[in-house]
Amino acid sequence: MPLNFGLGGKTYPSVTRTITADEIAAYAAASGDDNPRHRPGPDQVASPLFAVVPGLPLVATVGLDPELGVENPLMIVHGEEEVVHHRPIRPGDGLTFTPTLLSVEDKGRGATFVVRVSAHDPDGAPVNDQYATVFVRGGGSGTDRPKADPPADPVKGAAVAEFTSHVAPEMPARYAEASGDHNPIHLDDAVAKMVGLPGIINHGLGTLSLVAAGLVRDLAAGDPERLTRIGARFTEVVLPGSSLSTTVWEGAEGHLFETVRPDGAAVMTGWLQVAD
């Protein structure tokens, strides 16, 4: 069954919660991010991707909306994620998160929907906005869509950083616990193979959080407050126990990066902005 392509614009109930020092530290540890700013202390701040912890349940709320029409959650694939920071998240913050279904698009055999989760403090001041683009296999009309010209690749300037990140074998289990994302394709080898994967794969957001640690280290002098925007398009799976290589280039607005597996396949391409 195709999704409800006329549902874009629907806003869902807000949720308010208080952020704790322990969950900030746990998320960073599960992401392989050893930046000391994420440990409990007077200057503790959340890592750049921590906003997905309160955000993911709200994205799931949208994805499971009967009006949207996703029949099998196992057919969902996280395609892109972006977080725009207005200020960092700190322990003790009481934040209100509001999810909105921005769009639902027919892609022929599949479909995409985009969810924005906006966070505000008690005074109504914005804290961050996160955008999740989700692809639903089999959620399209089944009608061949006209092939649009692919978007032009962003222009890469000079390379400014290169680094390697190691995906610990136990990372999917640890990330599931810290993030709340218990999708069985990240935890159960049989389920992963049942849906056509080679086995348990790392969470896309876990991989992005791991790489973000290197981006903060090399481009923001280790200060996570300087990273004001980060996003990525997930293009290939990542197996636990593997090493990833990331290259960063100057871009027209901020920086561009690409992360590749040992076999040379790009697992994600991304963008970020760093404040002076």
Side-chain angles (χ1 to χ4, degrees), residues 213-252:
L215 297 172
V216 169
R217 181 192 63 234
D218 290 0
L219 298 176
D223 183 359
E225 295 191 50
R226 290 179 55 197
L227 199 156
T228 58
R229 177 180 179 234
I230 183 168
R233 178 177 297 108
F234 305 112
T235 53
E236 281 288 349
V237 301
V238 172
L239 299 179
S242 60
S243 292
L244 303 172
S245 299
T246 297
T247 303
V248 187
W249 298 269
E250 294 178 345

Side-chain angles (χ1 to χ4, degrees), residues 4-10 12 62 65-69 101-104:
N4 181 354
F5 303 118
L7 198 61
K10 182 176 179 178
Y12 296 76
V62 177
D65 180 356
E67 282 193 273
L68 180 58
L101 177 62
L102 294 182
S103 64
V104 188

Side-chain angles (χ1 to χ4, degrees), residues 69-218:
V70 176
E71 293 187 329
N72 182 359
L74 288 178
M75 301 301 284
I76 282 178
V77 178
H78 199 157
E80 293 185 20
E81 181 74 20
E82 180 177 54
V83 183
V84 178
H85 294 279
H86 306 290
R87 72 153 173 89
I89 294 177
R90 300 182 177 90
D93 278 344
L95 303 179
T96 298
F97 298 86
T98 304
T100 301
L101 177 62
L102 294 182
S103 64
V104 188
E105 296 186 17
D106 185 8
K107 300 295 183 181
R109 295 181 182 179
T112 60
F113 63 91
V114 180
V115 181
R116 179 186 67 213
V117 179
S118 298
H120 295 79
D121 69 15
D123 296 325
V127 176
N128 60 64
D129 295 287
Q130 52 187 297
Y131 301 84
T133 300
V134 180
F135 182 76
V136 184
R137 292 176 290 172
S141 64
T143 304
D144 289 336
R145 311 294 294 175
K147 289 188 176 181
D149 293 332
D153 291 333
V155 178
K156 297 174 181 176
V160 294
E162 293 185 30
F163 57 86
T164 300
S165 307
H166 181 67
V167 182
E170 67 277 8
M171 185 174 180
R174 294 178 62 188
Y175 189 83
E177 184 65 26
S179 69
D181 183 352
H182 296 280
N183 188 322
I185 64 173
H186 306 301
L187 302 168
D188 188 316
D189 203 60
V191 172
K193 290 178 178 177
M194 181 180 69
V195 297
L197 296 168
I200 288 173
I201 62 171
N202 206 43
H203 297 73
L205 289 173
T207 301
L208 180 55
S209 295
L210 174 66
V211 169
L215 297 172
V216 169
R217 181 192 63 234
D218 290 0

